[in-house]
Amino acid sequence: MLAEIALRAWTPDDAEWYVRQVADPEIRRFTTESATLTVEGFRTALDRLTSSDDELGWVAVDPISGERLANVAALRNGGTAVVSYWVSPDARGKGVATQALDELCTRALTVWPITGFRLYTHADNLASQRVAEKAGFHRMDGMPTQREVHGEKWPVRWFERFR
């Protein structure tokens, strides 16, 4: 298990790494990342991210080596923020996602006057559900059990975390 992670801002130099990561079958299976994402598409999204008051996103890195480990992001929607995350294949199972998600929430609360966070996972993504719970999220009842992702109906589980 990693002792610690750090979050840093995304840069255009991260584009090729990001595009390679989202081609991973598990990331494709359980996230909304585009299968056709290009380096230019990443850079366009980065421009949008850096100019938006309603979006936050960082790359989780090893604080000593600087090795990129994961992506965390938040989208503010009124008084809450919807968060998302994925971890590179080499960093899975080491606590990276839990630490990165917790730090994302901490940072978002310093920027936005929100009351809490929401996230959804594919119903089959048990690892992501464990991450959410370890990061202080609780299962939400009464939420839609399906979402459309890339033209398919996904079975989903919703989680929330309050300030």
Side-chain angles (χ1 to χ4, degrees), residues 7 10-11 70 150:
L7 297 185
W10 287 104
T11 71
H150 303 301

Side-chain angles (χ1 to χ4, degrees), residues 27-40:
I27 290 175
R28 291 292 320 125
R29 180 177 176 206
F30 290 130
T31 72
T32 60
E33 293 286 1
S34 170
T36 60
L37 183 67
T38 63
V39 167
E40 187 56 39

